[in-house]
Amino acid sequence: MRHLARLADYCSITNMHTKNLAIVWAPNLLRSKQIESACFSGTAAFMEVRIQSVVVEFILNHVDVLFSSKLSSVIRDGAGERF
């Protein structure tokens, strides 16, 4: 994900903004057997892929926060606590 986020830094040269990268990579990163099956076709498949691309775009826009060591330690330390 960090690599794709770095590619987005060169969007002025490549025209591959995070949205474009998400559209291209989402079906591979968030592969769904349901979409590939016969029960999804046409509009339903398009909507599912659209949701995937929104998720990947969000991750790419927030890669530094989501994959930071600080966040990982907070999650790890809080994993044993119950509300």
Side-chain angles (χ1 to χ4, degrees):
M1 293 309 273
R2 288 183 194 271
H3 176 70
L4 292 177
R6 276 191 292 255
L7 286 176
D9 291 340
Y10 296 96
C11 64
S12 61
I13 298 167
T14 63
N15 202 30
M16 291 301 285
H17 304 271
T18 54
K19 184 172 187 147
N20 293 345
L21 288 166
I23 290 168
V24 171
W25 283 95
N28 293 305
L29 295 172
L30 301 176
R31 190 172 187 171
S32 172
K33 291 183 181 188
Q34 292 173 337
I35 294 174
E36 294 172 1
S37 71
C39 67
F40 272 82
S41 62
T43 305
F46 175 76
M47 290 305 295
E48 198 70 23
V49 171
R50 186 172 182 275
I51 292 168
Q52 289 175 338
S53 69
V54 169
V55 170
V56 171
E57 183 180 3
F58 176 84
I59 293 169
L60 290 175
N61 285 326
H62 299 91
V63 73
D64 291 334
V65 174
L66 294 171
F67 296 100
S68 73
S69 58
K70 185 176 180 180
L71 180 62
S72 297
S73 65
V74 168
I75 292 170
R76 185 177 47 250
D77 294 343
E81 296 178 17
R82 300 281 182 209
F83 290 99

